[in-house]
Amino acid sequence: MGKKKKKKSAPIFVISGGRGIAGNNLVQSILIQYPNNKIPVEIFGGVDSEETIFDIVMRAKNEGALVTHTMVDPELRHKVNELCNDFKVEVIDLMGDLAAYLDRNLDVEPLQHPGLYRELNQQYFDRIESIEFTLARDDGMSPQRLKEAEIVLTGVSRAGKTPLSVYLAMYGWKVANVPLVPGVQPPPELFEIDRNRVFGLHIGAGQLITHRIKRMQDWNNHRSESYIDQRSVREEIRNAMFVFDRGGFTIINVSNKPIESTANEILKHMSKRFMYRGRKLESPYHDQKPE
């Protein structure tokens, strides 16, 4: 006797006039309570017409999907509920009851503006997105996606690329960093992106060796002697300067500088070269305005 065919999980549709993030987060926070549920969730964002709602409901009917929604426009909210009821599609209005309660009890007209929460908290969302981007591109990872970075840092090991990258990311900048390793050619993508976004971190040999010795002690790391050999380190720094010169990168001397000072110097260059809608340059450096 053959195995009983496992029933396919019906999908959940999340309809929103904005990006659908709030509705999706709510659905996912409930689904996580049911391990290995394998229920597909599909987001339909930017829904602003009855025609679009009709098409989604018809698809839900054909696929046996559950419709959930966070529509703030009362007419469109009503339309979703109405069409689902007419075509016998199961529907859950994730905000209708709360909105109706507030309408009854508050002497305030609702703005009915989709995505307003995200707009008001854009700096926070920028910061989270930038940190995730930066961590995914730390230490030369995904060089083929360097062109997506707003700032690219490059330099020898222990020049401070990672902490500086994360610091800049905390203020909404998407940063990638590329290590320069002796005997290894830099990725070709480093020389294909806009050189005005690339910063070479230069550090004195003495301070670099100090950083490397501390790193080896902290991690009980037994790297080769050349890693802290003065002649080898000076050669490594010199080769890095050749790379900076080849790419036409902006050289930032990080020797004996706090991370805040180095970040400030980089952002001064960025503010002169690019326009950024005014958000990112507000954070730690209120006196630095884009030109």
Side-chain angles (χ1 to χ4, degrees):
M1 197 171 174
K3 285 185 179 179
K4 193 174 182 181
K5 193 173 182 181
K6 200 171 182 180
K7 186 179 178 183
K8 186 179 179 182
S9 298
I12 297 177
F13 289 178
V14 179
I15 304 176
S16 172
R19 297 178 63 177
I21 293 174
N24 181 57
N25 286 347
L26 179 56
V27 169
Q28 296 294 347
S29 68
I30 297 173
L31 286 179
I32 202 170
Q33 302 296 328
Y34 301 87
N36 304 315
N37 62 79
K38 303 208 184 298
I39 296 177
V41 178
E42 187 167 351
I43 302 173
F44 298 86
V47 175
D48 58 3
S49 70
E50 294 186 4
E51 291 79 8
T52 303
I53 292 172
F54 179 83
D55 291 341
I56 297 171
V57 171
M58 288 301 95
R59 183 176 157 191
K61 181 175 177 61
N62 291 333
E63 298 182 23
L66 164 68
V67 170
T68 67
H69 65 94
T70 56
M71 302 298 289
V72 298
D73 183 304
E75 291 184 8
L76 295 179
R77 186 193 313 146
H78 174 74
K79 197 64 182 178
V80 175
N81 294 332
E82 181 183 57
L83 285 172
C84 285
N85 290 328
D86 288 347
F87 290 97
K88 295 181 172 50
V89 173
E90 196 161 357
V91 60
I92 298 176
D93 186 341
L94 296 175
M95 64 176 297
D97 289 344
L98 177 59
Y101 171 84
L102 295 175
D103 285 344
R104 288 194 308 270
N105 291 278
L106 294 181
D107 189 23
V108 179
E109 282 291 317
L111 295 175
Q112 299 175 10
H113 182 65
L116 183 60
Y117 178 83
R118 184 175 180 89
E119 287 181 21
L120 293 176
N121 294 273
Q122 190 63 51
Q123 279 194 339
Y124 169 78
F125 289 111
D126 280 350
R127 186 178 300 121
I128 297 302
E129 183 180 352
S130 296
I131 292 172
E132 289 176 348
F133 177 96
T134 298
L135 294 178
R137 287 156 187 81
D138 183 37
D139 208 23
M141 291 189 288
S142 304
Q144 68 277 7
R145 302 187 68 180
L146 278 179
K147 63 180 181 297
E148 299 174 14
E150 294 168 320
I151 296 173
V152 176
L153 307 178
T154 186
V156 299
S157 171
R158 308 312 300 161
K161 299 181 297 299
T162 295
L164 180 57
S165 296
V166 174
Y167 184 86
L168 289 166
M170 288 174 62
Y171 294 104
W173 295 86
K174 293 180 179 178
V175 187
N177 76 69
V178 178
L180 299 179
V181 181
V184 179
Q185 287 296 316
E189 292 86 355
L190 182 62
F191 304 100
E192 296 169 0
I193 57 179
D194 183 356
R195 65 182 183 182
N196 287 314
R197 298 181 185 276
V198 186
F199 296 86
L201 305 186
H202 173 67
I203 185 171
Q207 187 176 3
L208 181 59
I209 291 171
T210 300
H211 289 335
R212 289 182 172 184
I213 290 174
K214 185 175 187 307
R215 172 73 166 187
M216 292 169 70
Q217 292 171 341
D218 288 346
W219 292 89
N220 196 23
N221 195 337
H222 302 289
R223 301 182 75 150
S224 66
E225 285 299 314
S226 62
Y227 188 63
I228 56 174
D229 175 71
Q230 190 171 90
R231 179 179 293 181
S232 299
V233 168
R234 289 186 184 280
E235 177 75 11
E236 198 175 335
I237 293 171
R238 186 161 52 249
N239 289 336
M241 293 295 283
F242 287 146
V243 172
F244 302 161
D245 184 61
R246 172 186 164 192
F249 306 147
T250 303
I251 298 173
I252 304 292
N253 192 333
V254 299
S255 300
N256 301 309
K257 281 185 186 175
I259 194 171
E260 297 87 349
S261 177
T262 304
N264 193 12
E265 189 174 346
I266 289 173
L267 291 189
K268 278 184 180 179
H269 286 292
M270 293 297 290
S271 69
K272 291 176 183 176
R273 296 170 183 175
F274 304 100
M275 294 293 291
Y276 277 103
R277 301 191 302 277
R279 261 204 321 267
K280 293 170 184 169
L281 292 176
E282 289 176 1
S283 298
Y285 314 109
H286 297 287
D287 57 331
Q288 303 298 328
K289 300 295 182 183
E291 292 183 352

